[in-house]
Amino acid sequence: MHVEQALTLAIALLQAVERALADGDSAVALTSALQATDDAAREELASAIADAELRLADGK
Amino acid sequence: MKALYAFILILLLAASAFAAPLSGTATGGGPIIVGTLADANNPAEMAMAPEYTRLAVVRQRTARSLNRLAASSETDPDRLEAALFSASAVQRAADEARAKLDGLAGARDEAAFRFALDEARDLIRRAETLCDHIAKGN
C-alpha cells in the first residue's frame, strides 16, 4: 500500500470513529466516510480537468 | 510533502490520546459505548475499504499532476492535451469502479461479490496506470 493511500485510509477511519463517538454508535461507518473522501476527490479531478481545458483553449 | 505527512501522523497520534474509554458500564465523564462485537463487523466493508481508498488517491494524484502541468509555462500544448485525455480516462475508469463498489452491497452471493470486486480492482488498476503515465510525462 502506498503511503498516501495509508494516510487517506487512516484519516477516513479517524473521521468515522469521531462521528461514531459523537453519535453514540458502537459501529463505525467506514464505507460512507471513504465514499465522501472519494466524492471530494472526484470534484477535485473534475475541477482540474476543467482548468486544463481552459488552459488549452487559451493556448490555441 | 514529507513534512505534511509527519504533521498528519503527529495529529493522528495526538488524536488517539483523547480516545474515549470503551466500557459496558456507566462511568462518570466521557461517552458510554455499548455494543456487541459479533454484530459490528462486516467482512464486505473491510474488503472494499482499500479499494475506495485507492479510488480517492488516484483521483487526487491525477488532479495534482494535471494542475501542475496546466500551471507550468514550460508545458507544451500537446503534452497538456495528452495529459488531459488521460485524466479524463482516469475519471471515467474511477467512476465505473466506484459504481461497481457501491453495487457490491447487493451481491447475491460470495462468488458474485468476488467477481464484481475483481472487476472494480481491474478498473482501478487501469486508472492508476494512466495516473502514473501522466506523472511521468508519457
Side-chain angles (χ1 to χ4, degrees):
Chain A
M1 181 180 276
H2 191 276
V3 67
E4 192 170 347
Q5 291 168 339
L7 267 174
T8 301
L9 181 56
I11 290 168
L13 188 54
L14 261 183
Q15 289 172 339
V17 167
E18 278 182 326
R19 170 159 281 179
L21 289 173
D23 295 345
D25 280 333
S26 61
V28 171
L30 178 58
T31 299
S32 54
L34 286 170
Q35 285 170 332
T37 302
D38 184 51
D39 288 341
R42 191 190 190 285
E43 287 308 309
E44 188 181 342
L45 180 51
S47 179
I49 288 171
D51 289 345
E53 285 170 342
L54 274 175
R55 162 79 197 276
L56 261 181
D58 287 345
K60 284 184 178 172
Chain B
M1 186 61 84
K2 283 184 180 176
L4 175 63
Y5 288 156
F7 173 75
I8 292 172
L9 271 172
I10 290 168
L11 201 63
L12 289 172
L13 289 170
S16 67
F18 296 98
L22 302 178
S23 170
T25 59
T27 57
I32 297 168
I33 301 179
V34 179
T36 59
L37 291 177
D39 295 336
N41 288 289
N42 181 351
E45 185 175 52
M46 298 313 292
M48 294 190 295
E51 311 311 323
Y52 276 114
T53 305
R54 288 172 70 191
L55 270 183
V57 171
V58 75
R59 294 198 219 244
Q60 288 165 350
R61 286 171 72 90
T62 302
R64 281 203 301 272
S65 293
L66 193 56
N67 283 334
R68 210 166 19 241
L69 283 171
S72 171
S73 56
E74 295 172 5
T75 303
D76 67 81
D78 289 340
R79 185 177 171 199
L80 183 57
E81 190 165 5
L84 181 56
F85 182 81
S86 295
S88 299
V90 167
Q91 190 80 304
R92 283 195 301 275
D95 284 347
E96 203 176 331
R98 171 68 188 267
K100 288 201 182 293
L101 288 178
D102 289 349
L104 279 176
R108 297 182 310 279
D109 52 38
E110 190 170 341
F113 179 88
R114 285 286 156 204
F115 184 77
L117 184 60
D118 284 344
E119 283 189 320
R121 284 173 173 160
D122 284 344
L123 285 161
I124 295 169
R125 192 175 304 118
R126 191 192 308 169
E128 288 172 338
T129 301
L130 286 166
C131 174
D132 288 343
H133 283 163
I134 295 171
K136 290 175 186 171
N138 296 336

